[in-house]
Amino acid sequence: MSMTTLPLVFINLGGEMLYILDQRLRAQKTAEDNTQKGIWSEDDRKRVMNDIIATMFNKAFMEELLKPQDVYSHRALRTVLTRLAHASIMRLNQASMDRLYELMVMAFKYQLLLCPRPRDLLLISYNHIDAIREFVRNTPSVLNQVDETHRKIIEVYTPLSDGELQLLRQTLLIFLQDMHVRVSFFLKDKVQNPNGRFVLSTTGPVPHGTEVPGLIRVFSRSGREIKRLEFPTEGNYTSSIRVGSFELFGDRVIRFGTNMYSATPPEETHTSKNYSQKTNSEPNPLAKEELNLLARLMGRMEILNQNNDSEIGFRVSLFSTEQEEKDIVASGRSGDPSFEVINIQATQDTQVNKELARIAGEFTKEVEEPEPPDGPSNKGEDLLTMMDELV
Amino acid sequence: MMYHKEKSIQIKSSASALYNNLSVLRIAPRNLTYFSVVHANMVNMVSASWDGLNYSHRQLQSKEPNVTTSSSLIMQAAWCVLPYREILVLTSQKGIQMYESDGSIMVYWHALDTPETPTAQAVFARGIAAVRDKYICVGISSGSVLVFDVPSKGSNITLSEVLEEHKESITDMASECSGSLECIADLVSADDSGNLSVWKSGEDFQLLNKIPGFDMSCSSVKLWKGTVVAGYGTGQIRLYEAITGIIHAEINAHARWIYSLDIAPFSGLVRSAFTCSLPFQIVHMYNECVTDTQICGAKFCDGDGYAFAVTGYDLSEIIRYTQA
């Protein structure tokens, strides 16, 4: 299957994460006095968004993602996304991270399924990048990172054929298979059924390059059209509309991937699992390989806050109502071992420890190269600190 | 002509969004039909009795024999019907596996050349066809077509030839399914650019014709009475005379990428669903819409097209229709 899915996975899932965080942080109580923990000001929110985006669009992090590789498991992906979210002063509790992940993933699944053509997945990604650009428009250094990454994505993905992009889409659909978490926002808008499946419309414009169904043309041996027949179809389709822009800037035309939370009341992002929801509790035979990948990937992430260990950070519960907290405790999910498994493996698996130490050693050598102007000053130390935390 | 929906067959896990993700094998002497549907790294097999009373399930994984690494994603599973035996072929990122028709015994394994360090170019096998008396042909992501020589029994299957004509990944392959021995063309292969190659089988396969694509993937192809029926990512179906490449007809059939099409060999019914006969008359027969489902496999269950079955992404059932 496709080996180039990860950059698009992070841009789209990361983009959805930023939309939700932005909406939720705005919904938190605000106060002008931002010295009290748990109270968020406008500046705090912007700082969180900037910090996460700066980490996500860090050049080294993106380079790691752009290496040809299989898509991660859900467990590994959630770990990295949690780490991304915690690249700021914000700390999410486990329940919030679980809900956040479900929302992100279901939004991306919706976009993938309803995407008219495989190539439109790039437009969806660019919609996310456009919105991310808006979040950091007042921070030139981060804005520059976003632009550079966008250029790189255009360079890598534009030459892919429709068949290759379809393979990419199919790979992602396999990754998201059997996930049917119900999102109140989707249910209310009737884009999702009560069973968790998305509504696939049979009306509207056909994708660019496709003709409206219902016509048969018969040709002579010389290639001349000799007969036309029309036949009825189940759908009600119209001609395609103009194609969106695949450039750095431009009208993307399709709406998938834009911020659907900006006009949404926070309570409409409640999620609930279907009774038949498959839980990702199977042991992952690639755990060791993924841990190594994770170590490399997280090694690329900057810790912008030098005092990360000593500063506790502002804890935030994004979605919890009292009832939700009770539900979580009642279902026993507070003891969910999935987040702890990787750490436990890291401490007990001496072979992994050696591998991590070797990777840490390689990073130390890399630090000796000249750093980019906007790079951190103590990258090597931060990476080793991160490796120690894993071990 | 009208079809009505029958009771669905439940499968152990849902269908993945892959081209041609349904294979059907009718075993008349035992009043059974086998179905196979790919789910990620596994194939769901169901054996269904014709009276609808008995179903048995089996799941196959694409594990390399004697290797403990995890299994890889499967691209396609299909039964190949040869005169003396039927072989179930699985194609994956790692290679090609062949089983006895009930999936009980693996008879052959062919590993693909995978680079040590992954490259951006995906590596996999996809496109399966049984040709004439003894060949099974399988396409791979590089565009090559592997030709395997299959004896009437046993596991002495050998790679007899590699056909290097396509430059893009193979999407699907089909052999002449009408049973007519008069047709010169035995095999058609399709790729991600929409290019079609028409072959004659033998000790050395011979390229008879190349039908150029139009930069749009041809995801599903069939060969019937010397006519290529090809489904494309634009939702179009095109019919060509295989030997000459002359286009007979073009049908704006669907509003989305075609994932699968099938022909009932005795009647010429095309599941999508048209009938065609010589000289060309194409008559639209029937429409059906499966609500909120991305169809990924469609197959007739018999040679006349009396019944057909479809699979859909994320669905754990095989939906069936029979003529009213």
Side-chain angles (χ1 to χ4, degrees), chain B residues 166-178:
Chain B
H166 292 272
K167 301 286 179 288
E168 304 293 327
S169 298
I170 301 293
T171 46
D172 193 19
M173 299 211 297
S175 56
E176 173 58 60
C177 63
S178 66

Side-chain angles (χ1 to χ4, degrees), chain A residues 288-302:
Chain A
K288 182 190 155 201
E289 196 176 308
E290 276 187 342
L291 191 59
N292 295 336
L293 279 169
L294 274 176
R296 280 204 302 278
L297 196 60
M298 289 193 281
R300 300 289 190 198
M301 286 162 63
E302 297 178 42

Side-chain angles (χ1 to χ4, degrees), chain A residues 109 173 178 214-215 217 219 232, chain B residues 14 248 250 252 287 313-314:
Chain A
K109 185 170 183 176
L173 285 175
D178 300 323
L215 182 68
R217 299 165 72 204
F219 301 93
Chain B
S14 59
H248 285 306
E250 180 183 274
N252 297 338
N287 271 329
Y313 168 66
D314 251 357

Side-chain angles (χ1 to χ4, degrees), chain B residues 69-322:
Chain B
T69 53
S70 71
S71 51
S72 63
L73 289 175
I74 299 176
M75 301 298 289
Q76 192 176 3
W79 276 283
C80 289
V81 178
L82 295 168
Y84 300 108
R85 67 195 300 193
E86 290 124 359
I87 300 277
L88 175 64
V89 180
L90 267 57
T91 59
S92 71
Q93 293 172 277
K94 294 265 169 63
I96 299 154
Q97 290 165 288
M98 300 192 190
Y99 291 83
E100 295 294 358
S101 62
D102 62 357
S104 56
I105 305 166
M106 191 196 302
V107 294
Y108 185 70
W109 159 257
H110 175 91
L112 294 178
D113 292 327
T114 44
E116 263 194 46
T117 314
T119 62
Q121 164 77 37
V123 176
F124 54 84
R126 181 175 61 186
I128 302 168
V131 183
R132 292 292 178 199
D133 293 351
K134 60 173 188 162
Y135 301 108
I136 288 179
C137 297
V138 180
I140 54 179
S141 45
S142 62
S144 301
V145 172
L146 308 181
V147 180
F148 295 97
D149 199 310
V150 181
S152 57
K153 58 184 177 187
S155 56
N156 190 23
I157 295 168
T158 54
L159 175 65
S160 73
E161 201 178 352
V162 179
L163 309 175
E164 310 267 22
E165 192 58 43
H166 292 272
K167 301 286 179 288
E168 304 293 327
S169 298
I170 301 293
T171 46
D172 193 19
M173 299 211 297
S175 56
E176 173 58 60
C177 63
S178 66
S180 164
L181 295 172
E182 294 168 5
C183 297
I184 306 168
D186 292 326
L187 175 72
V188 61
S189 51
D191 71 22
D192 255 341
S193 297
N195 292 324
L196 304 167
S197 296
V198 180
W199 308 87
K200 178 169 178 50
S201 65
E203 287 298 314
D204 293 309
F205 272 53
Q206 188 190 339
L207 178 70
L208 296 176
N209 191 23
K210 283 170 69 164
I211 303 173
F214 45 106
D215 267 340
M216 173 47 68
S217 183
C218 170
S219 38
S220 197
V221 72
K222 286 289 172 289
L223 182 59
W224 183 74
K225 291 192 178 177
T227 299
V228 173
V229 184
Y232 294 86
T234 49
Q236 258 192 357
I237 296 174
R238 290 183 168 195
L239 286 83
Y240 301 93
E241 185 177 73
I243 299 294
T244 60
I246 292 172
I247 184 166
H248 285 306
E250 180 183 274
I251 306 162
N252 297 338
H254 294 282
R256 291 290 186 276
W257 198 288
I258 289 176
Y259 262 62
S260 184
L261 58 84
D262 193 24
I263 287 187
F266 303 154
S267 63
L269 267 176
V270 178
R271 164 75 194 102
S272 222
F274 299 84
T275 189
C276 47
S277 57
L278 295 170
F280 268 92
Q281 286 188 4
I282 297 176
V283 179
H284 171 259
M285 305 296 289
Y286 182 69
N287 271 329
E288 177 65 50
C289 182
V290 186
T291 312
D292 297 334
T293 302
Q294 182 189 287
I295 306 275
C296 50
K299 271 279 186 298
F300 283 109
C301 299
D302 59 275
D304 291 303
Y306 173 75
F308 67 87
V310 296
T311 55
Y313 168 66
D314 251 357
L315 279 192
S316 299
E317 59 186 290
I318 299 169
I319 304 171
R320 291 190 297 174
Y321 297 85
T322 52

Side-chain angles (χ1 to χ4, degrees), chain A residues 72-79 101 105 175-176 179 280 290:
Chain A
Y72 287 0
S73 67
H74 282 284
R75 186 182 295 153
L77 195 56
R78 183 152 48 182
T79 303
Y101 189 73
V105 158
F175 174 67
L176 297 171
M179 297 197 69
N280 187 19
E290 276 187 342

Side-chain angles (χ1 to χ4, degrees), chain A residues 252-297:
Chain A
R252 312 298 177 193
V253 179
I254 64 169
R255 305 300 300 154
F256 299 118
T258 56
N259 190 351
M260 57 189 177
Y261 301 100
S262 51
T264 309
E267 56 272 13
E268 286 186 4
T269 46
H270 175 66
T271 59
S272 61
K273 287 216 170 102
N274 214 339
Y275 67 89
S276 60
Q277 174 73 40
K278 187 177 90 167
T279 51
N280 187 19
S281 57
E282 296 154 5
N284 180 6
L286 285 179
K288 182 190 155 201
E289 196 176 308
E290 276 187 342
L291 191 59
N292 295 336
L293 279 169
L294 274 176
R296 280 204 302 278
L297 196 60

Side-chain angles (χ1 to χ4, degrees), chain A residues 217-280:
Chain A
R217 299 165 72 204
V218 183
F219 301 93
S220 68
R221 290 192 70 82
S222 60
R224 192 171 53 87
E225 185 185 307
I226 53 175
K227 201 193 293 186
R228 267 190 182 218
L229 302 157
E230 289 189 7
F231 61 90
T233 60
E234 287 292 310
N236 185 13
Y237 294 103
T238 54
S239 299
S240 66
I241 54 178
R242 72 189 189 288
V243 68
S245 165
F246 289 87
E247 305 299 320
L248 200 63
F249 301 99
D251 181 4
R252 312 298 177 193
V253 179
I254 64 169
R255 305 300 300 154
F256 299 118
T258 56
N259 190 351
M260 57 189 177
Y261 301 100
S262 51
T264 309
E267 56 272 13
E268 286 186 4
T269 46
H270 175 66
T271 59
S272 61
K273 287 216 170 102
N274 214 339
Y275 67 89
S276 60
Q277 174 73 40
K278 187 177 90 167
T279 51
N280 187 19

